[in-house]
Amino acid sequence: MTEKKAILKVDGREDIALSVYSPSLGQDVVDVGPLTGSQLFTFDPGFTSTASCESKITYIDGEVGKLLHRGYSIEELASQSDYLEVCFLLLHGELPSAEEKELFVSTIKNHTMVHEQLQFFYRGFRRDAHPMAVMCGVVGALSAFYHDSTDIKNPKHREITAMRLIAKMPTIAAMCYKYAVGQPFMYPRNDLSYSENFLHMMFGTPCEESKISPTLAKAMDRIFILHADHEQNASTSTVRLAGSSGANPFACIAAGISALWGPAHGGANEAVLNMLDEIGDVSNIEKYIAKAKDKQDPFKLMGFGHRVYKNYDPRASVMRESCHEVLKELGVNDPKLELALKLEEIALSDPYFKEKKLFPNVDFYSGIILSAIGIPTSMFTVIFALSRTVGWIAHWNEMISNPYKIGRPRQLYTGATERSFIPADKR
Ligand code: SDX
């Protein structure tokens, strides 16, 4: 990183010299470390202008709508790669050779089963529990099963943990669905690809051989790729913060799942489908656009807007194209797609959305494809968590394998100054 200088001038204080680092891509950053001894804090609720770490994994240029994973564009990865190859890229920094890919895929295959005891965690939940509640609990419980790889300073332990998590998330996710619908859990099959295996565990039954549609398997794999990683978003930052205390990686991933669940983040894909159901018909779009613009109305257009993208989310573009392909190949005419396209057209021509640079994000179209595949709305964020696990573990590994400090933000305190206790009879 090249270095420039900055001077912080504060009335009544000595100037503070700060360093400015230039990245390989993106904006310069001001290192505010020297403020530590100066009794000055930076103040940035929501971290809108704060770089929390140095990373080499993913880069987003929000102004032009560009997303790179280790330098490769999401468009090229979505059209030319597959999810496990993207997992290798995110974890190791390079696309795998043929031999590396073969070993990676076979290693993943050999870790797709979960411990037989894990099934009993599901039985503690009501059948109508939200699958994300189940996934939070089950993934957090994984740390109870892997006492053989708890030394986070050991690269071999970090490697096997990454493989176990990538391999087992589809099994755990499918078990969440099977438990909800009252069908028997399906064991993974090593003769199937990663996405075929997931669809097998989701929709297969012990009564007959699974028939996996290549179209659906390809669409599923593409959805996994599009959700794999996204810089320091809320859930990834949660995983990093949890990991900075030395917590085990399974607990950190469970923390990430919890953060992802929120409707402002990964829960938006479920919220988009619920919103489209609520809008119901093209004739109601104007009313809901007005609600989204009304400051007194808490309604937001779900699947629109983004902290970083001030242009079209490139993942949404790929997702929208996939929508047309998948629905056409399946011969499905989903009125929700027509409604979504019309909603996008009207919103993007509205001055409010144009001025605030609110565009569709990854969650706007994903639910339509997931519905076409047969996945219920309540499972959408579970799929997002499954896909994002590789991003979370890649960032966790990047942090742990380099010098790091426990994350401990400070605050702007505006509460009561010190005062004496008042006994109850004098209040
Ligand atoms: C994901 O960070 C990531 O990278 C996340 C993610 C990933 O892959 O990890 O990309 C995945 O979480 C995508 C985002 C999914 N969430 C939604 O679709 C929910 C709807 N979107 C909004 O809640 C909102 O756009 C956020 C949360 C996504 C971004 O919020 P910001 O960056 O804090 O921006 P903001 O809320 O301050 O909005 C700026 C302005 C505000 O108006 P003003 O106060 O300036 O007048 O735009 C308005 C907002 O009210 N606005 C919206 C809106 N989103 C923002 N108005 C109506 N509808 C919306 N969807």
Side-chain angles (χ1 to χ4, degrees), residues 34-108:
L35 294 186
T36 307
S38 70
Q39 294 308 308
L40 267 180
F41 296 150
T42 58
F43 183 60
D44 183 18
F47 311 119
T48 55
S49 304
T50 293
S52 62
C53 62
E54 179 187 344
S55 180
K56 302 179 189 310
I57 299 172
T58 290
Y59 171 70
I60 302 171
D61 183 337
E63 292 308 314
V64 299
K66 182 184 287 287
L67 169 58
L68 304 178
H69 290 317
R70 302 286 190 177
Y72 296 98
S73 75
I74 192 64
E75 292 89 346
E76 286 198 335
L77 293 172
S79 59
Q80 300 178 51
S81 188
D82 61 57
Y83 179 67
L84 285 187
E85 190 168 76
V86 171
C87 287
F88 186 97
L89 174 66
L90 289 169
L91 289 170
H92 301 294
E94 299 296 336
L95 289 166
S97 65
E99 296 74 27
E100 286 169 328
K101 182 169 181 179
E102 189 182 345
L103 175 62
F104 189 77
V105 171
S106 68
T107 306
I108 292 289

Side-chain angles (χ1 to χ4, degrees), residues 230 264-265 295 301 303-304 306-307 315 352 356 361 388:
H230 214 237
H265 189 14
K295 286 291 159 229
L301 216 48
F304 259 77
H306 198 276
R307 171 62 59 75
R315 301 168 297 175
Y352 172 92
K356 292 182 187 297
N361 58 52
R388 185 54 57 89

Side-chain angles (χ1 to χ4, degrees), residues 364-386:
F364 190 62
Y365 288 103
S366 56
I368 292 164
I369 303 184
L370 291 170
S371 295
I373 292 173
I375 292 169
T377 307
S378 62
M379 282 289 291
F380 288 178
T381 311
V382 168
I383 305 285
F384 197 147
L386 184 172

